[in-house]
PDB file of all heavy atoms in Angstrom:
ATOM      1  N   THR A  27      18.801  57.362  -4.760  1.00 95.00           N
ATOM      2  CA  THR A  27      18.259  56.113  -4.148  1.00 95.00           C
ATOM      3  C   THR A  27      17.060  55.603  -4.866  1.00 95.00           C
ATOM      4  O   THR A  27      16.390  54.680  -4.432  1.00 95.00           O
ATOM      5  CB  THR A  27      17.907  56.352  -2.672  1.00 95.00           C
ATOM      6  OG1 THR A  27      16.847  57.343  -2.578  1.00 95.00           O
ATOM      7  CG2 THR A  27      19.116  56.809  -1.875  1.00 95.00           C
ATOM      8  N   TYR A  28      16.747  56.231  -5.985  1.00 97.00           N
ATOM      9  CA  TYR A  28      15.589  55.838  -6.795  1.00 97.00           C
ATOM     10  C   TYR A  28      16.009  55.419  -8.192  1.00 97.00           C
ATOM     11  O   TYR A  28      16.842  56.105  -8.811  1.00 97.00           O
ATOM     12  CB  TYR A  28      14.590  56.978  -6.922  1.00 97.00           C
ATOM     13  CG  TYR A  28      13.725  57.238  -5.738  1.00 97.00           C
ATOM     14  CD1 TYR A  28      14.301  57.753  -4.556  1.00 97.00           C
ATOM     15  CD2 TYR A  28      12.354  56.989  -5.762  1.00 97.00           C
ATOM     16  CE1 TYR A  28      13.529  57.973  -3.433  1.00 97.00           C
ATOM     17  CE2 TYR A  28      11.580  57.221  -4.631  1.00 97.00           C
ATOM     18  CZ  TYR A  28      12.150  57.710  -3.478  1.00 97.00           C
ATOM     19  OH  TYR A  28      11.387  57.949  -2.387  1.00 97.00           O
ATOM     20  N   ALA A  29      15.441  54.303  -8.661  1.00 98.00           N
ATOM     21  CA  ALA A  29      15.501  53.989 -10.118  1.00 98.00           C
ATOM     22  C   ALA A  29      14.618  55.022 -10.805  1.00 98.00           C
ATOM     23  O   ALA A  29      13.668  55.557 -10.250  1.00 98.00           O
ATOM     24  CB  ALA A  29      15.054  52.604 -10.362  1.00 98.00           C
ATOM     25  N   MET A  30      14.926  55.259 -12.085  1.00 98.00           N
ATOM     26  CA  MET A  30      14.157  56.265 -12.838  1.00 98.00           C
ATOM     27  C   MET A  30      13.620  55.610 -14.145  1.00 98.00           C
ATOM     28  O   MET A  30      14.330  54.738 -14.755  1.00 98.00           O
ATOM     29  CB  MET A  30      14.994  57.450 -13.179  1.00 98.00           C
ATOM     30  CG  MET A  30      15.438  58.251 -11.970  1.00 98.00           C
ATOM     31  SD  MET A  30      14.066  58.943 -10.983  1.00 98.00           S
ATOM     32  CE  MET A  30      13.353  60.067 -12.216  1.00 98.00           C
ATOM     33  N   GLY A  31      12.456  56.020 -14.542  1.00 98.00           N
ATOM     34  CA  GLY A  31      11.881  55.483 -15.758  1.00 98.00           C
ATOM     35  C   GLY A  31      11.239  56.567 -16.597  1.00 98.00           C
ATOM     36  O   GLY A  31      10.942  57.629 -16.134  1.00 98.00           O
ATOM     37  N   TRP A  32      11.096  56.253 -17.887  1.00 98.00           N
ATOM     38  CA  TRP A  32      10.314  57.072 -18.802  1.00 98.00           C
ATOM     39  C   TRP A  32       9.126  56.204 -19.341  1.00 98.00           C
ATOM     40  O   TRP A  32       9.330  55.024 -19.661  1.00 98.00           O
ATOM     41  CB  TRP A  32      11.192  57.503 -20.015  1.00 98.00           C
ATOM     42  CG  TRP A  32      12.136  58.602 -19.667  1.00 98.00           C
ATOM     43  CD1 TRP A  32      13.450  58.444 -19.338  1.00 98.00           C
ATOM     44  CD2 TRP A  32      11.888  59.986 -19.657  1.00 98.00           C
ATOM     45  NE1 TRP A  32      14.054  59.678 -19.113  1.00 98.00           N
ATOM     46  CE2 TRP A  32      13.075  60.636 -19.317  1.00 98.00           C
ATOM     47  CE3 TRP A  32      10.765  60.779 -19.908  1.00 98.00           C
ATOM     48  CZ2 TRP A  32      13.157  62.055 -19.239  1.00 98.00           C
ATOM     49  CZ3 TRP A  32      10.845  62.162 -19.805  1.00 98.00           C
ATOM     50  CH2 TRP A  32      12.062  62.782 -19.455  1.00 98.00           C
ATOM     51  N   PHE A  33       8.018  56.808 -19.355  1.00 98.00           N
ATOM     52  CA  PHE A  33       6.820  56.215 -19.881  1.00 98.00           C
ATOM     53  C   PHE A  33       6.187  57.168 -20.910  1.00 98.00           C
ATOM     54  O   PHE A  33       6.530  58.339 -20.946  1.00 98.00           O
ATOM     55  CB  PHE A  33       5.807  55.933 -18.763  1.00 98.00           C
ATOM     56  CG  PHE A  33       6.283  54.919 -17.728  1.00 98.00           C
ATOM     57  CD1 PHE A  33       7.189  55.278 -16.769  1.00 98.00           C
ATOM     58  CD2 PHE A  33       5.840  53.600 -17.800  1.00 98.00           C
ATOM     59  CE1 PHE A  33       7.667  54.326 -15.854  1.00 98.00           C
ATOM     60  CE2 PHE A  33       6.274  52.678 -16.892  1.00 98.00           C
ATOM     61  CZ  PHE A  33       7.212  53.053 -15.930  1.00 98.00           C
ATOM     62  N   ARG A  34       5.268  56.604 -21.705  1.00 98.00           N
ATOM     63  CA  ARG A  34       4.535  57.493 -22.634  1.00 98.00           C
ATOM     64  C   ARG A  34       3.112  57.044 -22.728  1.00 98.00           C
ATOM     65  O   ARG A  34       2.763  55.900 -22.424  1.00 98.00           O
ATOM     66  CB  ARG A  34       5.222  57.453 -24.025  1.00 98.00           C
ATOM     67  CG  ARG A  34       5.183  56.118 -24.692  1.00 98.00           C
ATOM     68  CD  ARG A  34       6.069  56.186 -25.995  1.00 98.00           C
ATOM     69  NE  ARG A  34       6.089  54.883 -26.670  1.00 98.00           N
ATOM     70  CZ  ARG A  34       6.848  54.647 -27.714  1.00 98.00           C
ATOM     71  NH1 ARG A  34       7.699  55.587 -28.227  1.00 98.00           N
ATOM     72  NH2 ARG A  34       6.833  53.471 -28.316  1.00 98.00           N
ATOM     73  N   GLN A  35       2.292  58.021 -23.092  1.00 98.00           N
ATOM     74  CA  GLN A  35       0.871  57.740 -23.163  1.00 98.00           C
ATOM     75  C   GLN A  35       0.212  58.502 -24.327  1.00 98.00           C
ATOM     76  O   GLN A  35       0.474  59.722 -24.528  1.00 98.00           O
ATOM     77  CB  GLN A  35       0.183  58.145 -21.843  1.00 98.00           C
ATOM     78  CG  GLN A  35      -1.281  57.691 -21.756  1.00 98.00           C
ATOM     79  CD  GLN A  35      -1.791  57.834 -20.363  1.00 98.00           C
ATOM     80  OE1 GLN A  35      -1.284  58.621 -19.522  1.00 98.00           O
ATOM     81  NE2 GLN A  35      -2.834  57.098 -20.027  1.00 98.00           N
ATOM     82  N   VAL A  36      -0.547  57.821 -25.108  1.00 98.00           N
ATOM     83  CA  VAL A  36      -1.383  58.387 -26.141  1.00 98.00           C
ATOM     84  C   VAL A  36      -2.806  58.494 -25.599  1.00 98.00           C
ATOM     85  O   VAL A  36      -3.278  57.587 -24.907  1.00 98.00           O
ATOM     86  CB  VAL A  36      -1.352  57.509 -27.422  1.00 98.00           C
ATOM     87  CG1 VAL A  36      -2.267  58.076 -28.467  1.00 98.00           C
ATOM     88  CG2 VAL A  36       0.081  57.427 -27.926  1.00 98.00           C
ATOM     89  N   SER A  37      -3.471  59.571 -25.932  1.00 95.00           N
ATOM     90  CA  SER A  37      -4.829  59.783 -25.420  1.00 95.00           C
ATOM     91  C   SER A  37      -5.713  58.556 -25.689  1.00 95.00           C
ATOM     92  O   SER A  37      -5.752  58.090 -26.820  1.00 95.00           O
ATOM     93  CB  SER A  37      -5.413  61.022 -26.052  1.00 95.00           C
ATOM     94  OG  SER A  37      -6.714  61.273 -25.602  1.00 95.00           O
ATOM     95  N   GLY A  38      -6.398  58.093 -24.664  1.00 95.00           N
ATOM     96  CA  GLY A  38      -7.261  56.961 -24.823  1.00 95.00           C
ATOM     97  C   GLY A  38      -6.632  55.607 -24.653  1.00 95.00           C
ATOM     98  O   GLY A  38      -7.276  54.609 -24.685  1.00 95.00           O
ATOM     99  N   LYS A  39      -5.309  55.607 -24.457  1.00 97.00           N
ATOM    100  CA  LYS A  39      -4.580  54.386 -24.284  1.00 97.00           C
ATOM    101  C   LYS A  39      -3.868  54.356 -22.944  1.00 97.00           C
ATOM    102  O   LYS A  39      -3.687  55.383 -22.290  1.00 97.00           O
ATOM    103  CB  LYS A  39      -3.559  54.162 -25.406  1.00 97.00           C
ATOM    104  CG  LYS A  39      -4.165  53.998 -26.772  1.00 97.00           C
ATOM    105  CD  LYS A  39      -3.137  53.630 -27.805  1.00 97.00           C
ATOM    106  CE  LYS A  39      -3.756  53.351 -29.157  1.00 97.00           C
ATOM    107  NZ  LYS A  39      -2.754  52.932 -30.162  1.00 97.00           N
ATOM    108  N   GLU A  40      -3.471  53.148 -22.532  1.00 96.00           N
ATOM    109  CA  GLU A  40      -2.773  53.033 -21.258  1.00 96.00           C
ATOM    110  C   GLU A  40      -1.342  53.611 -21.340  1.00 96.00           C
ATOM    111  O   GLU A  40      -0.733  53.594 -22.429  1.00 96.00           O
ATOM    112  CB  GLU A  40      -2.696  51.556 -20.831  1.00 96.00           C
ATOM    113  CG  GLU A  40      -4.059  50.984 -20.429  1.00 96.00           C
ATOM    114  CD  GLU A  40      -3.932  49.598 -19.803  1.00 96.00           C
ATOM    115  OE1 GLU A  40      -2.806  49.041 -19.811  1.00 96.00           O
ATOM    116  OE2 GLU A  40      -4.962  49.049 -19.346  1.00 96.00           O
ATOM    117  N   ARG A  41      -0.830  53.987 -20.224  1.00 97.00           N
ATOM    118  CA  ARG A  41       0.534  54.475 -20.174  1.00 97.00           C
ATOM    119  C   ARG A  41       1.450  53.281 -20.386  1.00 97.00           C
ATOM    120  O   ARG A  41       1.279  52.243 -19.770  1.00 97.00           O
ATOM    121  CB  ARG A  41       0.775  55.125 -18.806  1.00 97.00           C
ATOM    122  CG  ARG A  41       2.055  55.915 -18.696  1.00 97.00           C
ATOM    123  CD  ARG A  41       2.060  56.765 -17.491  1.00 97.00           C
ATOM    124  NE  ARG A  41       1.020  57.761 -17.519  1.00 97.00           N
ATOM    125  CZ  ARG A  41       0.907  58.790 -16.624  1.00 97.00           C
ATOM    126  NH1 ARG A  41       1.775  58.887 -15.657  1.00 97.00           N
ATOM    127  NH2 ARG A  41      -0.089  59.633 -16.728  1.00 97.00           N
ATOM    128  N   GLU A  42       2.468  53.441 -21.225  1.00 97.00           N
ATOM    129  CA  GLU A  42       3.362  52.340 -21.554  1.00 97.00           C
ATOM    130  C   GLU A  42       4.791  52.650 -21.177  1.00 97.00           C
ATOM    131  O   GLU A  42       5.234  53.768 -21.257  1.00 97.00           O
ATOM    132  CB  GLU A  42       3.260  51.939 -23.002  1.00 97.00           C
ATOM    133  CG  GLU A  42       3.860  52.887 -24.000  1.00 97.00           C
ATOM    134  CD  GLU A  42       3.990  52.262 -25.403  1.00 97.00           C
ATOM    135  OE1 GLU A  42       3.766  51.083 -25.617  1.00 97.00           O
ATOM    136  OE2 GLU A  42       4.377  53.047 -26.332  1.00 97.00           O
ATOM    137  N   PHE A  43       5.480  51.580 -20.814  1.00 98.00           N
ATOM    138  CA  PHE A  43       6.890  51.663 -20.458  1.00 98.00           C
ATOM    139  C   PHE A  43       7.753  52.012 -21.669  1.00 98.00           C
ATOM    140  O   PHE A  43       7.508  51.493 -22.773  1.00 98.00           O
ATOM    141  CB  PHE A  43       7.344  50.330 -19.857  1.00 98.00           C
ATOM    142  CG  PHE A  43       8.804  50.224 -19.631  1.00 98.00           C
ATOM    143  CD1 PHE A  43       9.407  50.789 -18.551  1.00 98.00           C
ATOM    144  CD2 PHE A  43       9.600  49.490 -20.547  1.00 98.00           C
ATOM    145  CE1 PHE A  43      10.771  50.659 -18.320  1.00 98.00           C
ATOM    146  CE2 PHE A  43      10.936  49.353 -20.314  1.00 98.00           C
ATOM    147  CZ  PHE A  43      11.562  49.941 -19.204  1.00 98.00           C
ATOM    148  N   VAL A  44       8.733  52.869 -21.509  1.00 98.00           N
ATOM    149  CA  VAL A  44       9.678  53.181 -22.553  1.00 98.00           C
ATOM    150  C   VAL A  44      11.085  52.733 -22.156  1.00 98.00           C
ATOM    151  O   VAL A  44      11.734  52.014 -22.917  1.00 98.00           O
ATOM    152  CB  VAL A  44       9.701  54.694 -22.852  1.00 98.00           C
ATOM    153  CG1 VAL A  44      10.749  55.024 -23.904  1.00 98.00           C
ATOM    154  CG2 VAL A  44       8.318  55.146 -23.351  1.00 98.00           C
ATOM    155  N   ALA A  45      11.544  53.230 -21.013  1.00 98.00           N
ATOM    156  CA  ALA A  45      12.941  52.877 -20.619  1.00 98.00           C
ATOM    157  C   ALA A  45      13.052  53.094 -19.106  1.00 98.00           C
ATOM    158  O   ALA A  45      12.295  53.863 -18.516  1.00 98.00           O
ATOM    159  CB  ALA A  45      13.934  53.752 -21.361  1.00 98.00           C
ATOM    160  N   ALA A  46      14.039  52.401 -18.504  1.00 98.00           N
ATOM    161  CA  ALA A  46      14.285  52.598 -17.092  1.00 98.00           C
ATOM    162  C   ALA A  46      15.812  52.442 -16.863  1.00 98.00           C
ATOM    163  O   ALA A  46      16.493  51.796 -17.627  1.00 98.00           O
ATOM    164  CB  ALA A  46      13.557  51.633 -16.235  1.00 98.00           C
ATOM    165  N   ILE A  47      16.285  53.073 -15.792  1.00 98.00           N
ATOM    166  CA  ILE A  47      17.690  53.014 -15.428  1.00 98.00           C
ATOM    167  C   ILE A  47      17.811  52.813 -13.912  1.00 98.00           C
ATOM    168  O   ILE A  47      17.069  53.406 -13.150  1.00 98.00           O
ATOM    169  CB  ILE A  47      18.401  54.298 -15.931  1.00 98.00           C
ATOM    170  CG1 ILE A  47      19.948  54.190 -15.730  1.00 98.00           C
ATOM    171  CG2 ILE A  47      17.861  55.563 -15.222  1.00 98.00           C
ATOM    172  CD1 ILE A  47      20.690  55.283 -16.505  1.00 98.00           C
ATOM    173  N   SER A  48      18.737  51.990 -13.539  1.00 97.00           N
ATOM    174  CA  SER A  48      18.957  51.710 -12.139  1.00 97.00           C
ATOM    175  C   SER A  48      19.595  52.892 -11.438  1.00 97.00           C
ATOM    176  O   SER A  48      20.067  53.833 -12.064  1.00 97.00           O
ATOM    177  CB  SER A  48      19.810  50.467 -11.962  1.00 97.00           C
ATOM    178  OG  SER A  48      21.117  50.697 -12.526  1.00 97.00           O
ATOM    179  N   ARG A  49      19.589  52.811 -10.109  1.00 96.00           N
ATOM    180  CA  ARG A  49      20.076  53.932  -9.283  1.00 96.00           C
ATOM    181  C   ARG A  49      21.498  54.350  -9.660  1.00 96.00           C
ATOM    182  O   ARG A  49      21.822  55.525  -9.653  1.00 96.00           O
ATOM    183  CB  ARG A  49      20.143  53.477  -7.806  1.00 96.00           C
ATOM    184  CG  ARG A  49      18.832  53.147  -7.168  1.00 96.00           C
ATOM    185  CD  ARG A  49      19.154  52.799  -5.743  1.00 96.00           C
ATOM    186  NE  ARG A  49      18.176  51.881  -5.145  1.00 96.00           N
ATOM    187  CZ  ARG A  49      18.354  51.286  -3.993  1.00 96.00           C
ATOM    188  NH1 ARG A  49      19.437  51.510  -3.296  1.00 96.00           N
ATOM    189  NH2 ARG A  49      17.442  50.470  -3.546  1.00 96.00           N
ATOM    190  N   ASN A  50      22.323  53.345  -9.966  1.00 93.00           N
ATOM    191  CA  ASN A  50      23.766  53.617 -10.205  1.00 93.00           C
ATOM    192  C   ASN A  50      24.110  53.607 -11.690  1.00 93.00           C
ATOM    193  O   ASN A  50      25.276  53.571 -12.039  1.00 93.00           O
ATOM    194  CB  ASN A  50      24.618  52.610  -9.446  1.00 93.00           C
ATOM    195  CG  ASN A  50      24.330  51.196  -9.912  1.00 93.00           C
ATOM    196  OD1 ASN A  50      23.515  50.941 -10.775  1.00 93.00           O
ATOM    197  ND2 ASN A  50      24.995  50.230  -9.302  1.00 93.00           N
ATOM    198  N   SER A  51      23.068  53.597 -12.548  1.00 95.00           N
ATOM    199  CA  SER A  51      23.251  53.609 -13.987  1.00 95.00           C
ATOM    200  C   SER A  51      23.798  52.305 -14.603  1.00 95.00           C
ATOM    201  O   SER A  51      24.050  52.228 -15.768  1.00 95.00           O
ATOM    202  CB  SER A  51      24.122  54.754 -14.468  1.00 95.00           C
ATOM    203  OG  SER A  51      23.613  56.027 -14.052  1.00 95.00           O
ATOM    204  N   ALA A  52      24.018  51.313 -13.743  1.00 95.00           N
ATOM    205  CA  ALA A  52      24.615  50.090 -14.215  1.00 95.00           C
ATOM    206  C   ALA A  52      23.697  49.270 -15.142  1.00 95.00           C
ATOM    207  O   ALA A  52      24.174  48.587 -16.045  1.00 95.00           O
ATOM    208  CB  ALA A  52      25.026  49.240 -13.000  1.00 95.00           C
ATOM    209  N   ILE A  53      22.379  49.383 -14.929  1.00 97.00           N
ATOM    210  CA  ILE A  53      21.461  48.604 -15.681  1.00 97.00           C
ATOM    211  C   ILE A  53      20.414  49.507 -16.375  1.00 97.00           C
ATOM    212  O   ILE A  53      19.930  50.461 -15.727  1.00 97.00           O
ATOM    213  CB  ILE A  53      20.680  47.644 -14.783  1.00 97.00           C
ATOM    214  CG1 ILE A  53      21.642  46.715 -14.014  1.00 97.00           C
ATOM    215  CG2 ILE A  53      19.701  46.782 -15.600  1.00 97.00           C
ATOM    216  CD1 ILE A  53      22.449  45.790 -14.872  1.00 97.00           C
ATOM    217  N   THR A  54      20.162  49.252 -17.610  1.00 98.00           N
ATOM    218  CA  THR A  54      19.111  49.968 -18.353  1.00 98.00           C
ATOM    219  C   THR A  54      18.202  48.899 -18.974  1.00 98.00           C
ATOM    220  O   THR A  54      18.548  47.761 -19.196  1.00 98.00           O
ATOM    221  CB  THR A  54      19.661  50.855 -19.459  1.00 98.00           C
ATOM    222  OG1 THR A  54      20.461  50.073 -20.341  1.00 98.00           O
ATOM    223  CG2 THR A  54      20.464  51.999 -18.867  1.00 98.00           C
ATOM    224  N   ASN A  55      16.977  49.343 -19.226  1.00 97.00           N
ATOM    225  CA  ASN A  55      15.913  48.447 -19.696  1.00 97.00           C
ATOM    226  C   ASN A  55      15.082  49.212 -20.700  1.00 97.00           C
ATOM    227  O   ASN A  55      14.739  50.382 -20.429  1.00 97.00           O
ATOM    228  CB  ASN A  55      15.085  48.001 -18.514  1.00 97.00           C
ATOM    229  CG  ASN A  55      14.154  46.853 -18.805  1.00 97.00           C
ATOM    230  OD1 ASN A  55      14.056  46.408 -19.910  1.00 97.00           O
ATOM    231  ND2 ASN A  55      13.488  46.376 -17.739  1.00 97.00           N
ATOM    232  N   TYR A  56      14.795  48.640 -21.845  1.00 98.00           N
ATOM    233  CA  TYR A  56      14.059  49.329 -22.896  1.00 98.00           C
ATOM    234  C   TYR A  56      12.887  48.530 -23.431  1.00 98.00           C
ATOM    235  O   TYR A  56      12.995  47.293 -23.528  1.00 98.00           O
ATOM    236  CB  TYR A  56      14.990  49.668 -24.081  1.00 98.00           C
ATOM    237  CG  TYR A  56      16.119  50.620 -23.753  1.00 98.00           C
ATOM    238  CD1 TYR A  56      17.356  50.139 -23.385  1.00 98.00           C
ATOM    239  CD2 TYR A  56      15.900  51.988 -23.814  1.00 98.00           C
ATOM    240  CE1 TYR A  56      18.394  50.951 -23.055  1.00 98.00           C
ATOM    241  CE2 TYR A  56      16.944  52.853 -23.507  1.00 98.00           C
ATOM    242  CZ  TYR A  56      18.165  52.351 -23.120  1.00 98.00           C
ATOM    243  OH  TYR A  56      19.179  53.208 -22.827  1.00 98.00           O
ATOM    244  N   GLU A  57      11.889  49.229 -23.821  1.00 98.00           N
ATOM    245  CA  GLU A  57      10.784  48.607 -24.531  1.00 98.00           C
ATOM    246  C   GLU A  57      11.298  48.234 -25.915  1.00 98.00           C
ATOM    247  O   GLU A  57      12.143  48.954 -26.494  1.00 98.00           O
ATOM    248  CB  GLU A  57       9.620  49.580 -24.595  1.00 98.00           C
ATOM    249  CG  GLU A  57       8.281  48.997 -25.047  1.00 98.00           C
ATOM    250  CD  GLU A  57       8.141  49.049 -26.549  1.00 98.00           C
ATOM    251  OE1 GLU A  57       8.642  49.970 -27.173  1.00 98.00           O
ATOM    252  OE2 GLU A  57       7.451  48.160 -27.130  1.00 98.00           O
ATOM    253  N   ASP A  58      10.855  47.130 -26.468  1.00 98.00           N
ATOM    254  CA  ASP A  58      11.458  46.583 -27.681  1.00 98.00           C
ATOM    255  C   ASP A  58      11.427  47.583 -28.831  1.00 98.00           C
ATOM    256  O   ASP A  58      12.397  47.662 -29.635  1.00 98.00           O
ATOM    257  CB  ASP A  58      10.716  45.317 -28.115  1.00 98.00           C
ATOM    258  CG  ASP A  58      11.123  44.086 -27.268  1.00 98.00           C
ATOM    259  OD1 ASP A  58      12.095  44.230 -26.492  1.00 98.00           O
ATOM    260  OD2 ASP A  58      10.431  43.112 -27.325  1.00 98.00           O
ATOM    261  N   SER A  59      10.372  48.380 -28.992  1.00 97.00           N
ATOM    262  CA  SER A  59      10.222  49.218 -30.160  1.00 97.00           C
ATOM    263  C   SER A  59      11.185  50.391 -30.160  1.00 97.00           C
ATOM    264  O   SER A  59      11.396  51.077 -31.178  1.00 97.00           O
ATOM    265  CB  SER A  59       8.816  49.747 -30.288  1.00 97.00           C
ATOM    266  OG  SER A  59       8.504  50.652 -29.265  1.00 97.00           O
ATOM    267  N   VAL A  60      11.839  50.685 -29.014  1.00 98.00           N
ATOM    268  CA  VAL A  60      12.739  51.833 -28.928  1.00 98.00           C
ATOM    269  C   VAL A  60      14.221  51.379 -28.797  1.00 98.00           C
ATOM    270  O   VAL A  60      15.089  52.216 -28.805  1.00 98.00           O
ATOM    271  CB  VAL A  60      12.368  52.788 -27.727  1.00 98.00           C
ATOM    272  CG1 VAL A  60      10.907  53.186 -27.849  1.00 98.00           C
ATOM    273  CG2 VAL A  60      12.733  52.186 -26.385  1.00 98.00           C
ATOM    274  N   LYS A  61      14.436  50.111 -28.644  1.00 98.00           N
ATOM    275  CA  LYS A  61      15.804  49.603 -28.512  1.00 98.00           C
ATOM    276  C   LYS A  61      16.615  50.002 -29.715  1.00 98.00           C
ATOM    277  O   LYS A  61      16.189  49.871 -30.864  1.00 98.00           O
ATOM    278  CB  LYS A  61      15.826  48.088 -28.357  1.00 98.00           C
ATOM    279  CG  LYS A  61      15.489  47.590 -26.987  1.00 98.00           C
ATOM    280  CD  LYS A  61      15.555  46.093 -26.927  1.00 98.00           C
ATOM    281  CE  LYS A  61      15.180  45.551 -25.566  1.00 98.00           C
ATOM    282  NZ  LYS A  61      15.133  44.090 -25.499  1.00 98.00           N
ATOM    283  N   GLY A  62      17.820  50.501 -29.461  1.00 98.00           N
ATOM    284  CA  GLY A  62      18.711  50.955 -30.547  1.00 98.00           C
ATOM    285  C   GLY A  62      18.427  52.347 -31.024  1.00 98.00           C
ATOM    286  O   GLY A  62      19.229  52.921 -31.786  1.00 98.00           O
ATOM    287  N   ARG A  63      17.303  52.950 -30.622  1.00 98.00           N
ATOM    288  CA  ARG A  63      16.976  54.325 -31.007  1.00 98.00           C
ATOM    289  C   ARG A  63      17.003  55.257 -29.834  1.00 98.00           C
ATOM    290  O   ARG A  63      17.391  56.448 -29.977  1.00 98.00           O
ATOM    291  CB  ARG A  63      15.610  54.364 -31.673  1.00 98.00           C
ATOM    292  CG  ARG A  63      15.475  53.552 -32.944  1.00 98.00           C
ATOM    293  CD  ARG A  63      14.168  53.807 -33.643  1.00 98.00           C
ATOM    294  NE  ARG A  63      13.002  53.474 -32.828  1.00 98.00           N
ATOM    295  CZ  ARG A  63      12.040  54.346 -32.521  1.00 98.00           C
ATOM    296  NH1 ARG A  63      12.103  55.569 -32.936  1.00 98.00           N
ATOM    297  NH2 ARG A  63      11.021  53.927 -31.825  1.00 98.00           N
ATOM    298  N   PHE A  64      16.532  54.818 -28.690  1.00 98.00           N
ATOM    299  CA  PHE A  64      16.471  55.665 -27.502  1.00 98.00           C
ATOM    300  C   PHE A  64      17.563  55.223 -26.487  1.00 98.00           C
ATOM    301  O   PHE A  64      17.894  54.061 -26.400  1.00 98.00           O
ATOM    302  CB  PHE A  64      15.098  55.497 -26.794  1.00 98.00           C
ATOM    303  CG  PHE A  64      13.930  56.081 -27.540  1.00 98.00           C
ATOM    304  CD1 PHE A  64      14.026  56.478 -28.877  1.00 98.00           C
ATOM    305  CD2 PHE A  64      12.721  56.165 -26.909  1.00 98.00           C
ATOM    306  CE1 PHE A  64      12.970  57.002 -29.516  1.00 98.00           C
ATOM    307  CE2 PHE A  64      11.599  56.693 -27.564  1.00 98.00           C
ATOM    308  CZ  PHE A  64      11.729  57.119 -28.866  1.00 98.00           C
ATOM    309  N   THR A  65      18.043  56.223 -25.747  1.00 98.00           N
ATOM    310  CA  THR A  65      19.051  55.955 -24.718  1.00 98.00           C
ATOM    311  C   THR A  65      18.639  56.708 -23.456  1.00 98.00           C
ATOM    312  O   THR A  65      18.476  57.944 -23.473  1.00 98.00           O
ATOM    313  CB  THR A  65      20.446  56.402 -25.136  1.00 98.00           C
ATOM    314  OG1 THR A  65      20.790  55.721 -26.338  1.00 98.00           O
ATOM    315  CG2 THR A  65      21.464  56.077 -24.038  1.00 98.00           C
ATOM    316  N   ILE A  66      18.495  55.979 -22.336  1.00 98.00           N
ATOM    317  CA  ILE A  66      18.242  56.620 -21.049  1.00 98.00           C
ATOM    318  C   ILE A  66      19.560  56.804 -20.296  1.00 98.00           C
ATOM    319  O   ILE A  66      20.428  55.928 -20.361  1.00 98.00           O
ATOM    320  CB  ILE A  66      17.230  55.815 -20.240  1.00 98.00           C
ATOM    321  CG1 ILE A  66      16.824  56.562 -18.983  1.00 98.00           C
ATOM    322  CG2 ILE A  66      17.756  54.419 -19.908  1.00 98.00           C
ATOM    323  CD1 ILE A  66      15.636  55.914 -18.247  1.00 98.00           C
ATOM    324  N   SER A  67      19.691  57.937 -19.612  1.00 98.00           N
ATOM    325  CA  SER A  67      20.899  58.180 -18.813  1.00 98.00           C
ATOM    326  C   SER A  67      20.486  59.039 -17.617  1.00 98.00           C
ATOM    327  O   SER A  67      19.371  59.603 -17.603  1.00 98.00           O
ATOM    328  CB  SER A  67      21.954  58.833 -19.637  1.00 98.00           C
ATOM    329  OG  SER A  67      21.555  60.103 -20.124  1.00 98.00           O
ATOM    330  N   ARG A  68      21.367  59.137 -16.658  1.00 98.00           N
ATOM    331  CA  ARG A  68      21.074  59.966 -15.483  1.00 98.00           C
ATOM    332  C   ARG A  68      22.382  60.613 -15.003  1.00 98.00           C
ATOM    333  O   ARG A  68      23.459  60.085 -15.186  1.00 98.00           O
ATOM    334  CB  ARG A  68      20.432  59.139 -14.388  1.00 98.00           C
ATOM    335  CG  ARG A  68      21.322  58.027 -13.787  1.00 98.00           C
ATOM    336  CD  ARG A  68      20.540  57.153 -12.871  1.00 98.00           C
ATOM    337  NE  ARG A  68      20.075  57.862 -11.669  1.00 98.00           N
ATOM    338  CZ  ARG A  68      19.132  57.399 -10.883  1.00 98.00           C
ATOM    339  NH1 ARG A  68      18.452  56.263 -11.147  1.00 98.00           N
ATOM    340  NH2 ARG A  68      18.779  58.086  -9.781  1.00 98.00           N
TER     341      ARG A  68
END
């Protein structure tokens, strides 16, 4: 019942979005710099 996301953080910087996936895996969302390289799944 929860969407899931991955974020990353470098020391001294804000936490940034990497990828997210909807509850039923139908929709995924990626930060531009990781598109085509990273894949989120559940």
